[in-house]
């Protein structure tokens, strides 16, 4: 049985809201084992952009704000906040009597340390800093009041404070133990405490009985890193894994899980989009005519229907329909093989031209999609080879260093449900995920919308960004996929988050 649960649009919150988490009873003995397809390699919030990091770390760390599976923004480590000076200053009232897992107190000094570290030399080494550059200074008013002073209003900042780089970290622990130690031995204020980490094997957590939101109902969490989808599903069937999280399960394996009366599929529409982006600097794809021809050569509608079995929808820009900035009127470059051949001829591309498509090796669905795309390209005279990489190698060594083939897979979570989070990372000059392209017009558009508090004006610019990226054919947009979870029915209280950021405080295992 497939269960579809739909999320709501993220909601901005400016003043005090009711407590985000009801107090839970003391935890009972119980262990939940989760299969994750990727080991992030570091547990430091400023080192990562990976959804698989957040699936684990949402249980270790807290932000000033929190956004759960319903996508509503509520208080986290801040009990309340207010926007001052026309949005250029946000004052946070912090929770009292909260401690980090090492016993260190959480207070305004920890908030100041966290953001100065994120915006400083250490943060500059990672991919998160650019999401928070609207912050000019962090001013401690008293032990439990802190102001974030902004260079300009940032309408997405409160959402960004709920995840990734903005997770609050312990100053004394990091200063005494060092950055390298923190990467491998994380300490936060979350519902679960770090126990052990074996790279490429697993990470183990235990319940934090003193959690400010109420003790978890489980005593242990184990995340096993299982890259091979068939292995993960086999472990789920055998009962050695209780939950398999996205994007592990290939569409073709859904019947295997649905046919097992101990298991079920939970499928949630979310923000994750897939595209094959272009090397716009080198080779035949440096020519926009060639890029448009490649897009025209691929029947994306058929791919969604025949390969993805209704678990995705076709996209026209690199964002989902849930994204702020999505333009329902943007027309896709149509499937037109004859038109593709004409454009290729105009560009001087001869029959038999070759290109390489780089993909994540453990993404079985994309592997199948890439094979179909290769077949479509062969029909217009292009020979495509597919090169699979270990995911971390592709994401950390190949794409950011500009070492890809002509096309490369980009899967993006868009976890803020705001196109800025995607578009700035993909298209702004100098960003990690934009190793090839420099476009002054795009840079100005992206920069101009960031400080706007007028939602209509900002949405108009974001739609212009989407249209311009489509006009320049910066990627072959493919699909917005559902987040698909495989789960043992003995797991109770699990709510599937659209953004894969698991909060497991109220889950039990029978």
């Amino acid at each position: 049985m497939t269960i579809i649960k739909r999320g709501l649009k993220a909601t901005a919150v400016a003043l005090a809201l009711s407590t985000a988490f009801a107090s839970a009873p003391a935890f009972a003995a119980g262990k939940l084992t989760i299969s994750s397809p990727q080991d992030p390699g570091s547990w430091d919030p400023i080192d990562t952009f990976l959804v698989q990091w957040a699936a684990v770390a949402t249980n270790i760390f807290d932000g000033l704000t929190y956004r759960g599976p319903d996508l509503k923004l509520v208080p986290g480590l801040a009990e309340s906040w207010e926007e001052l000076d026309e949005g250029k200053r946000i004052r946070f009232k912090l929770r009292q009597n909260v401690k980090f897992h090492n016993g260190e107190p959480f207070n305004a000094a920890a908030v100041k340390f966290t953001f100065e570290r994120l915006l400083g030399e250490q943060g500059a080494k990672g991919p998160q800093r650019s999401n928070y550059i609207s912050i000019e200074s962090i001013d401690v008013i008293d032990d439990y009041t802190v102001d974030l002073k902004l260079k300009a209003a940032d309408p997405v900042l409160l959402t960004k404070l709920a995840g990734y780089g903005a997770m609050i970290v312990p100053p004394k622990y990091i200063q005494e133990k060092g950055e390298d130690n923190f990467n491998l031995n994380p300490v936060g204020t979350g519902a679960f405490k770090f126990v052990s980490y074996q790279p490429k094997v697993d990470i183990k957590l235990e319940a934090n009985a003193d959690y400010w939101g109420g003790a978890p109902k489980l005593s242990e969490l184990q995340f096993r890193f299982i890259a091979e989808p068939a292995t993960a599903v086999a472990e789920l069937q055998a009962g050695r894994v209780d939950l398999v999280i996205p994007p592990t399960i290939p569409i073709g394996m859904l019947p295997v899980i649905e046919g097992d009366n101990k298991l079920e599929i939970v499928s949630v529409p979310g923000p994750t989009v897939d595209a094959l982006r272009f090397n716009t600097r080198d080779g035949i794809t440096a020519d926009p005519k060639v890029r448009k021809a490649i897009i025209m050569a691929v029947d994306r509608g058929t791919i969604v229907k025949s390969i993805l079995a209704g678990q995705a929808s076709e996209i026209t820009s690199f964002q989902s329909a849930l994204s702020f900035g999505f333009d329902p009127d943007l027309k896709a470059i149509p499937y037109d093989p004859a038109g593709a051949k004409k454009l290729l001829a105009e560009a001087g591309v001869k029959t038999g031209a070759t290109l390489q498509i780089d993909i994540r090796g453990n993404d079985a669905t994309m592997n199948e999609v890439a094979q179909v795309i290769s077949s479509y390209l062969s029909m217009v005279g292009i020979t495509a080879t597919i090169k699979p990489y270990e995911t971390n190698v592709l994401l950390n060594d190949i794409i950011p260093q500009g070492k890809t083939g002509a096309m490369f897979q980009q899967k993006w979570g868009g976890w803020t449900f705001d196109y800025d989070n995607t578009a700035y990372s993909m298209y702004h000059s100098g960003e990690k995920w934009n190793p090839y392209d420099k476009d002054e017009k795009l840079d100005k558009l992206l920069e101009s919308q960031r400080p706007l508090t007028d939602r209509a004006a900002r949405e108009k610019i974001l739609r212009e960004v989407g249209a311009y990226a489509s006009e320049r054919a910066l990627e072959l947009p493919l699909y917005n996929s559902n987040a698909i979870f495989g789960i043992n029915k003995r797991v109770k209280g699990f709510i599937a988050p659209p953004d894969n950021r698991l909060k497991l405080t109220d889950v039990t295992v029978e």
Side-chain angles (χ1 to χ4, degrees):
M1 176 178 67
T2 300
I3 303 171
I4 304 292
K5 299 179 181 177
R6 297 192 177 274
L8 302 174
K9 289 270 187 180
T11 305
V13 178
L15 299 175
L17 296 177
S18 58
T19 301
F21 306 99
S23 180
F27 62 83
K31 177 181 178 182
L32 181 71
T33 302
I34 300 162
S35 171
S36 172
Q38 184 181 9
D39 177 359
S42 169
W43 299 106
D44 187 335
I46 64 175
D47 283 350
T48 189
F49 59 92
L50 296 173
V51 171
Q52 302 309 324
W53 176 90
V56 178
T58 299
N59 298 284
I60 300 173
F61 298 102
D62 294 306
L64 295 176
T65 62
Y66 172 72
R67 192 190 68 194
D70 63 0
L71 304 185
K72 291 182 178 179
L73 199 65
V74 297
L77 287 173
E79 342 184 273
S80 66
W81 56 87
E82 59 178 324
E83 296 184 51
L84 306 168
D85 302 340
E86 298 181 333
K88 292 186 179 179
R89 183 161 56 98
I90 309 175
R91 173 160 292 181
F92 294 90
K93 291 291 185 181
L94 307 180
R95 293 185 188 276
Q96 300 187 30
N97 304 313
V98 176
K99 294 190 180 217
F100 289 97
H101 300 149
N102 65 334
E104 191 175 333
F106 161 74
N107 51 30
V111 175
K112 183 176 178 67
F113 173 84
T114 294
F115 286 101
E116 289 186 344
R117 178 174 178 264
L118 169 62
L119 297 169
E121 181 180 343
Q122 193 66 29
K125 299 175 184 177
Q128 282 296 329
R129 185 177 179 275
S130 66
N131 282 323
Y132 303 92
I133 55 175
S134 63
I135 300 172
E136 182 175 67
S137 65
I138 304 92
D139 302 326
V140 172
I141 308 305
D142 59 42
D143 281 351
Y144 296 101
T145 309
V146 64
D147 285 359
L148 294 190
K149 185 179 178 182
L150 310 183
K151 300 170 188 173
D154 182 345
V156 194
L157 183 60
L158 286 169
T159 297
K160 290 187 284 194
L161 295 180
Y164 295 91
M167 297 291 92
I168 306 301
V169 299
K172 185 177 178 183
Y173 178 79
I174 293 175
Q175 290 164 343
E176 290 182 353
K177 300 292 186 180
E179 299 287 349
D180 291 342
N181 176 78
F182 184 59
N183 290 347
L184 304 178
N185 300 274
V187 167
T189 60
F192 289 87
K193 300 188 287 188
F194 171 78
V195 175
S196 66
Y197 169 51
Q198 298 181 78
K200 303 288 181 71
V201 179
D202 69 359
I203 183 170
K204 294 179 180 177
L205 312 178
E206 65 181 8
N208 175 13
D210 299 320
Y211 183 51
W212 59 266
K217 295 177 182 178
L218 290 165
S219 55
E220 299 175 69
L221 289 180
Q222 179 188 23
F223 288 80
R224 293 175 55 192
F225 305 119
I226 305 175
E228 175 53 50
T231 303
V233 172
E235 291 293 276
L236 180 67
Q237 289 182 292
R240 291 185 288 268
V241 161
D242 301 303
L243 177 65
V244 177
I245 62 176
T248 303
I249 303 172
I251 300 299
M253 296 193 76
L254 292 181
V256 175
I257 296 173
E258 291 171 327
D260 190 322
N261 61 14
K262 304 186 303 296
L263 310 176
E264 65 182 345
I265 290 292
V266 179
S267 177
V268 188
T272 300
V273 285
D274 279 83
L276 290 180
R277 302 192 68 216
F278 290 110
N279 179 341
T280 60
R281 184 189 66 195
D282 310 311
I284 61 173
T285 51
D287 188 332
K289 284 186 177 181
V290 174
R291 301 197 297 267
K292 286 183 180 178
I294 289 171
I295 296 171
M296 292 165 70
V298 178
D299 187 350
R300 290 168 287 160
T302 295
I303 288 174
V304 168
K305 290 174 187 174
S306 62
I307 297 178
L308 302 175
Q311 294 290 341
S313 56
E314 192 176 350
I315 56 175
T316 56
S317 60
F318 199 38
Q319 60 182 319
S320 78
L322 297 173
S323 168
F324 181 77
F326 173 78
D327 184 354
D329 297 323
L330 181 64
K331 302 299 182 186
I333 295 175
Y335 173 55
D336 181 1
K341 289 180 180 179
K342 181 180 178 183
L343 279 180
L344 289 171
E346 290 176 5
V349 176
K350 296 180 180 179
T351 300
T354 62
L355 60 77
Q356 178 177 299
I357 302 173
D358 297 341
I359 65 170
R360 302 182 185 190
N362 70 336
D363 189 335
T365 299
M366 178 54 73
N367 196 308
E368 188 174 354
V369 169
Q371 296 288 348
V372 173
I373 289 172
S374 175
S375 296
Y376 278 125
L377 293 181
S378 70
M379 295 178 190
V380 297
I382 295 176
T383 301
T385 58
I386 299 166
K387 185 168 184 178
Y389 283 94
E390 195 275 324
T391 299
N392 282 354
V393 172
L394 179 64
L395 298 183
N396 295 321
D397 300 333
I398 302 302
I399 296 175
Q401 305 304 320
K403 298 177 181 178
T404 73
M407 303 174 73
F408 56 96
Q409 179 189 1
Q410 189 84 60
K411 180 185 288 289
W412 194 253
W415 76 278
T416 62
F417 291 82
D418 190 294
Y419 188 40
D420 168 81
N421 175 257
T422 302
Y424 202 97
S425 297
M426 296 299 123
Y427 308 135
H428 194 280
S429 299
E431 285 295 305
K432 178 176 181 176
W433 304 114
N434 181 22
Y436 300 119
D437 203 61
K438 292 182 180 180
D439 188 312
E440 186 176 346
K441 178 179 177 179
L442 259 180
D443 287 351
K444 287 180 177 178
L445 284 171
L446 290 163
E447 291 161 8
S448 69
Q449 57 81 32
R450 279 202 154 180
L452 296 181
T453 54
D454 182 329
R455 284 178 60 84
R458 191 167 162 270
E459 184 175 43
K460 181 180 178 182
I461 295 173
L462 287 174
R463 289 184 174 187
E464 190 176 346
V465 169
Y468 186 59
S470 177
E471 179 188 330
R472 290 200 55 219
L474 296 178
E475 64 258 321
L476 165 58
L478 292 171
Y479 45 82
N480 167 212
S481 54
N482 287 1
I484 301 172
F485 299 80
I487 188 168
N488 193 303
K489 292 179 182 177
R490 69 189 178 196
V491 177
K492 304 299 180 184
F494 174 72
I495 300 174
D499 55 9
N500 210 17
R501 296 170 65 231
L502 307 179
K503 187 80 171 181
L504 299 167
T505 316
D506 293 326
V507 171
T508 60
V509 178
E510 292 184 347

